[in-house]
Amino acid sequence: MSLDNKPVYSGGCQCGAVRFHIEGALGDASICHCRMCQKASGNFYLPLVSVRGAKLSWTRGEPRKFRSSNHAWRGFCGDCGTPLCYEAPDGIAMAIASFDHPETIAPVIQWGVEAKLPYVDRIYELPGEETMADITSAPFLADLVSYQHPDHDTETWPPEEKS
């Protein structure tokens, strides 16, 4: 919470070149299955949350934008490609997974269900394993070092050159 008791959120891309800060209540969170959102996210669907009525500021860098239709722009990191936002005449929505704490933002509705991929509703039926369970077929996991920006604001980024 901020000093005036407004909720505060932060987030950004995976490489740390673009970071944002939001002060105020978020709007409805949703999942969009439309083909444009599938392609913009490179995924089965795109979870978004409206920031209409909240104060959004870009605290490090700014997203590059792609005009995906006559009404909308898609914002993404120009360095690493992380999808960050959807801008339309009725406001901006942020990609939920780009928040530092996406677990606190639960979708309440699905849009674009006419384009929903036929297997999405059954994903929960697939067997699940933790990442390290695959170490026998992917031994590189044993000494994996993430270069992704951490899930909190940093004074500078990157902290040092990576090899």
Side-chain angles (χ1 to χ4, degrees):
M1 293 285 187
S2 64
L3 292 176
D4 57 1
N5 286 334
K6 290 183 182 175
V8 174
Y9 304 89
S10 62
C13 67
Q14 67 175 333
C15 77
V18 180
R19 295 282 299 161
F20 62 83
H21 181 88
I22 297 170
E23 187 173 329
L26 299 174
D28 287 338
S30 63
I31 292 172
C32 186
H33 295 275
C34 83
R35 188 63 184 135
M36 282 196 289
C37 281
Q38 289 172 355
K39 291 192 81 156
S41 65
N43 218 316
F44 304 149
Y45 47 79
L46 180 56
L48 296 163
V49 63
S50 171
V51 297
R52 275 189 304 257
K55 180 184 174 195
L56 166 66
S57 54
W58 299 102
T59 57
R60 184 180 302 139
E62 287 195 13
R64 287 197 51 203
K65 295 179 182 178
F66 171 72
R67 188 168 189 176
S68 60
S69 74
N70 61 324
H71 293 296
W73 293 84
R74 307 291 178 139
F76 61 95
C77 174
D79 291 341
C80 67
T82 301
L84 295 167
C85 61
Y86 167 85
E87 297 181 34
D90 63 347
I92 297 175
M94 303 297 291
I96 294 173
S98 69
F99 283 76
D100 290 341
H101 295 284
E103 71 278 6
T104 65
I105 306 167
V108 296
I109 190 168
Q110 298 180 70
W111 296 104
V113 295
E114 71 281 354
K116 184 190 287 190
L117 298 173
Y119 45 79
V120 167
D121 287 337
R122 297 182 59 145
I123 289 174
Y124 73 93
E125 295 175 355
L126 298 173
E129 297 286 345
E130 291 187 7
T131 304
M132 295 309 286
D134 195 30
I135 199 162
T136 54
S137 59
F140 63 86
L141 292 174
D143 64 354
L144 182 78
V145 176
S146 174
Y147 294 146
Q148 290 187 335
H149 189 275
D151 285 334
H152 57 81
D153 288 328
T154 56
E155 189 68 31
T156 59
W157 192 263
E160 59 188 53
E161 283 300 312
K162 301 169 199 60
S163 57

